[in-house]
Amino acid sequence: RNRTMITINCAAIPATLLASELFGHEKGAFTGALTKRPGRFREAEGSTLFLDEIGDMPLELQPALLRAIEANRITPLGSDREIEVDYRLLAATNRSLLNEVEAGHFRQDLYYRLNVIAIEIPPLRERVDDILPLARHFLAQQKTDNKRLSRAAAQSLEAYRWPGNVRELANAIERARLLSQTAVILPEHLPPVVRAP
């Protein structure tokens, strides 16, 4: 817990490079592999590996991930030697992995291997009491301007459905902070969809 968590976004890396990012590679393993690379599993040794957007992981890479999780061993690309790894694994997704399994887009055995302790986080629209504390938190991250929400802006935030969840809220607050020329954020500083009746 005292070590840095290693994070990788499975949706942000092309499928052809994701295996190298996760498991590492040897020099010359593929075109452009000019140096040896340890990979995220080895970087997370004694720490936590967080696989964000695991539901977007390519199906062809899932057996290698399942093997790594079950055996605590990885094989870097271009190597025939397995390496033992010791890490804690966290995974997140905005998809229903069970639906992805039923559709044939996610391996059932990998789903059950990952689903040891599931933490369901309801969408922001179902957690209205969290909207203003989160908005104030995002404002507080910019210590230089000390901006605050007007009552009307706060009401607009609470009335909106937030289909983009916390990321959308963070962006809306950043926009409002930048557009406000005073210390008070008004509804007109919010994105039009947020302030619409």
Side-chain angles (χ1 to χ4, degrees), residues 51-155:
L51 302 178
D52 197 10
E53 302 298 351
I54 189 113
D56 292 315
M57 177 173 278
L59 194 58
E60 63 271 15
L61 187 54
Q62 293 177 23
L65 177 62
L66 178 64
R67 167 91 175 117
I69 294 170
E70 287 184 338
N72 288 331
R73 294 179 170 278
I74 60 164
T75 303
L77 299 179
S79 175
D80 57 1
R81 184 174 59 94
E82 283 191 329
I83 299 168
E84 190 169 339
V85 287
D86 178 27
Y87 61 93
R88 173 178 37 211
L89 182 68
L90 296 175
T93 184
N94 63 0
R95 300 172 183 245
S96 166
L97 287 185
L98 202 48
N99 289 346
E100 293 295 305
V101 167
E102 291 170 3
H105 301 288
F106 202 83
R107 291 179 58 107
Q108 185 175 35
D109 48 1
L110 179 56
Y111 168 76
Y112 288 120
R113 191 67 184 104
L114 290 171
N115 195 23
V116 177
I117 297 175
I119 301 170
E120 297 285 333
I121 301 176
L124 193 53
R125 68 184 163 272
E126 294 177 15
R127 301 181 287 133
V128 176
D129 291 343
D130 290 346
I131 293 171
L132 293 182
L134 283 168
R136 290 183 184 113
H137 166 74
F138 296 135
L139 283 173
Q141 287 183 320
Q142 291 295 330
K143 297 177 175 49
T144 57
D145 51 20
N146 294 319
K147 300 209 177 199
R148 63 181 174 79
L149 296 167
S150 69
R151 181 182 300 266
Q155 289 171 343

Side-chain angles (χ1 to χ4, degrees), residues 7-23:
T7 301
I8 187 166
N9 185 327
C10 299
I13 299 172
T16 54
L17 297 178
L18 189 55
S20 171
E21 283 291 317
L22 288 171
F23 309 120

